[in-house]
């Protein structure tokens, strides 16, 4: 705690009612004249948001690609790159939640760098730590317009869903951080309550996992983790209200604090074993079964992860138990923590098991294989030593 580094990145954030009115000014600041929009079909066809952006941009709108699918499939990103290149775009605007924001980052990489996507992605040599290629070309500036809370809003990395359902393609380039982020109240309220709740559960899950690694963090990280948890917990039960813009704004703030956690020297994706295995298995499941959502999947995996891996990180179990208000006599019993999390999430109507989401048991070996290729969760390639525990975890989750 007495020796750490913090790295600040230039960012402009606009939040609240009519925050998007500042969008033309941001384009002027970035000397952009041909802004290209990326979004999904729901934003394009079920909300007035795309029309609103085109009106705000006027002649500066160079076009839009509106078919970015869930979890950013590679083929959708390649099509968006072709469209952006044809439009002679000089800035990308990502409109949506995690999938679209990740897609825009990779699109910026592919627009600038030579080589096929596989060669630009993180490389996994047998028996070696993963290596992200250095991507040196200048990238188009990015602006993110959120429709739901996500910690993907201000990151340098992005993962795409592979067409074959195998390991994700991971990309990393600090130059793809956004120049500006918008939390516009009206834009956030365009998301249906089910999406707001799903993304909110994912943000809350991360805040709870980080609460299990506060004691050993530096003061800046501690502040982010404590307040992110407070914001996420009080906003979570209100996300089903289609008129509660403040709950959605607060969840966006919690997610941004999770980004700051990392910038200030935290390691939020591998805070402890429970967080690591849920994140790695969850990512493998999303990639293989496209209908899964992050929030529900992480919630299902968390209880079994505590029971199967809690003995490897007893301090994390104790800290999460204390954060949930369990008495000191209960912190030594992981099952009490599992029950407390279940009691908190049950009112949200989440599925209890993977089988409730039509995930077949015979696909779990492939899920474990894919989980071995996750840079954030397994930088030192340690997960392979715990295949039996991972298999037991998935059996319990099914």
């Amino acid at each position: 705690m007495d020796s750490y580094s913090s790295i600040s990145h230039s960012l402009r954030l606009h939040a609240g009612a009519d925050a998007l009115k500042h969008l033309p000014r941001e384009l002027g600041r970035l000397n952009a004249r041909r802004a290209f929009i990326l979004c999904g079909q729901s934003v394009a066809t079920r909300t007035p948001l795309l029309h609103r952006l085109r009106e705000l941009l006027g002649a500066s709108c160079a076009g839009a690609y509106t078919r970015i699918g869930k979890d950013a499939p590679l083929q959708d990103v390649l099509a968006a790159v072709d469209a952006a290149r044809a439009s002679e775009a000089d800035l990308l605007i990502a409109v949506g939640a995690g999938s679209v924001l990740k897609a825009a980052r990779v699109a910026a990489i592919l627009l600038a760098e030579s080589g096929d996507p596989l060669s630009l992605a993180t490389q996994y040599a047998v028996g070696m730590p993963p290596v992200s290629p250095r991507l040196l070309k200048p990238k188009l500036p990015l602006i993110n317009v959120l429709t739901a809370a996500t910690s993907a809003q201000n990151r340098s990395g992005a993962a795409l869903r592979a067409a074959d359902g195998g390991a994700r393609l991971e990309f990393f380039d600090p130059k793809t951080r956004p120049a500006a982020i918008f939390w516009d109240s009206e834009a956030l309220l365009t998301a249906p309550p089910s999406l707001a709740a799903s993304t909110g559960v994912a943000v809350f899950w991360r805040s709870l996992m980080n609460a299990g690694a506060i004691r050993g963090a530096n003061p800046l990280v501690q502040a982010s983790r404590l307040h992110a948890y407070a914001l996420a917990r009080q906003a979570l039960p209100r996300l089903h209200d289609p008129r509660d813009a403040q709950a959605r704004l607060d969840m966006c703030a919690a997610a941004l604090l999770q980004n700051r956690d990392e910038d200030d020297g935290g390691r939020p994706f591998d805070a402890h074993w429970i967080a690591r295995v849920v994140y790695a298995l969850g990512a493998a499941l999303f990639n293989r079964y496209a209908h899964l959502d992050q929030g529900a999947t992480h919630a299902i995996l968390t209880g079994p992860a505590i029971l199967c891996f809690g003995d490897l990180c007893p301090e994390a179990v104790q800290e999460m138990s204390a954060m949930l208000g369990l008495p000191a006599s209960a912190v030594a019993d992981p099952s009490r923590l599992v029950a407390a999390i279940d009691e908190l999430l049950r009112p949200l109507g989440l599925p209890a098991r993977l089988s409730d989401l039509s995930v077949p048991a015979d696909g779990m070996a492939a899920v474990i294989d894919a989980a071995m290729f996750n840079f954030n969760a397994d930088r030192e390639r340690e997960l392979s030593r715990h295949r039996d525990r991972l298999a037991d975890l998935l059996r319990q989750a099914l």
Side-chain angles (χ1 to χ4, degrees):
M1 291 176 60
D2 60 356
S3 180
Y4 54 91
S5 298
S6 175
I7 302 173
S8 297
H9 300 271
S10 176
L11 170 70
R12 293 201 178 193
L13 172 68
H14 302 281
D18 202 24
L20 278 171
K21 68 183 179 183
H22 300 290
L23 181 60
R25 187 176 71 190
E26 290 300 328
L27 261 67
R29 181 175 69 89
L30 296 166
N31 295 316
R33 294 178 175 80
R34 299 193 59 78
F36 188 84
I37 300 169
L38 290 84
C39 65
Q41 284 189 286
S42 293
V43 166
T45 62
R46 299 179 187 174
T47 78
L49 192 49
L50 183 58
H51 176 71
R52 183 182 172 196
L53 288 170
R54 282 172 165 155
E55 282 195 330
L56 283 166
L57 293 171
S60 296
C61 183
Y65 182 83
T66 62
R67 294 180 176 273
I68 299 295
K70 183 177 175 297
D71 298 320
L74 174 60
Q75 62 269 26
D76 292 356
V77 175
L78 293 175
V81 167
D82 289 342
R85 183 175 285 119
S87 76
E88 299 181 345
D90 59 8
L91 178 142
L92 301 178
I93 301 177
V95 186
S99 296
V100 173
L101 273 54
K102 292 187 296 183
R105 285 199 284 275
V106 179
I109 289 172
L110 299 183
L111 283 165
E113 302 285 345
S114 56
D116 65 273
L118 291 177
S119 68
L120 301 174
T122 299
Q123 306 296 307
Y124 287 84
V126 177
M128 299 292 291
V131 176
S132 296
R134 296 188 67 187
L135 307 176
L136 301 178
K137 298 291 183 62
K139 306 299 184 294
L140 295 184
L142 278 79
I143 290 176
N144 291 338
V145 179
L146 271 61
T147 58
T150 173
S151 60
Q153 62 183 295
N154 188 33
R155 293 202 181 278
S156 303
L160 304 186
R161 178 157 58 85
D164 62 1
R168 305 177 305 167
L169 290 176
E170 299 174 328
F171 298 83
F172 177 80
D173 188 340
K175 296 185 293 301
T176 62
R177 280 183 178 263
I181 295 175
F182 287 83
W183 303 339
D184 181 271
S185 297
E186 292 75 18
L188 290 169
L189 289 176
T190 64
S194 58
L195 176 60
S198 172
T199 59
V201 168
V203 174
F204 172 77
W205 175 84
R206 172 58 58 194
S207 74
L208 179 61
M209 293 299 104
N210 288 347
I214 289 178
R215 192 179 308 168
N218 73 58
L220 301 179
V221 171
Q222 287 181 336
S224 291
R225 291 184 178 180
L226 286 167
H227 198 50
Y229 177 82
L231 286 170
R233 183 164 183 179
Q234 62 85 23
L236 187 64
R238 297 160 45 206
L239 293 175
H240 283 296
D241 185 342
R243 298 164 297 181
D244 193 339
Q246 190 60 53
R248 301 186 185 202
L249 287 164
D250 286 348
M251 198 61 85
C252 287
L256 186 66
L257 287 172
Q258 291 169 5
N259 294 149
R260 289 186 177 178
D261 174 332
E262 192 168 10
D263 292 341
D264 287 333
R267 294 272 290 265
F269 286 101
D270 57 0
H272 47 76
W273 275 104
I274 297 166
R276 291 174 63 185
V277 298
V278 172
Y279 184 75
L281 290 174
L285 284 161
F286 312 146
N287 201 53
R288 188 171 181 83
Y289 305 106
H291 65 284
L292 299 182
D293 72 77
Q294 188 179 71
T297 306
H298 282 175
I300 291 170
L301 294 174
T302 297
I306 292 169
L307 298 176
C308 293
F309 284 85
D311 63 305
L312 300 182
C313 51
E315 287 190 359
V317 173
Q318 292 174 12
E319 291 193 43
M320 286 189 282
S321 298
M323 191 65 72
L324 288 173
L326 293 177
S329 59
V331 298
D333 184 358
S335 65
R336 296 284 297 274
L337 175 59
V338 173
I341 295 172
D342 179 67
E343 183 179 354
L344 186 63
L345 297 180
R346 192 185 311 119
L348 301 176
L350 298 173
R353 311 187 72 82
L354 291 175
S355 55
D356 296 337
L357 296 170
S358 302
V359 174
D362 62 3
M364 295 303 97
V367 168
I368 293 173
D369 288 341
M372 300 299 117
F373 300 90
N374 191 303
F375 179 84
N376 285 325
D378 195 23
R379 300 170 198 242
E380 304 300 326
R381 310 298 297 274
E382 298 174 303
L383 280 180
S384 61
R385 302 203 303 262
H386 298 285
R387 283 181 173 270
D388 289 344
R389 288 185 189 241
L390 294 171
D392 188 26
L393 188 164
L394 290 172
R395 279 193 294 270
Q396 293 186 40
L398 283 165

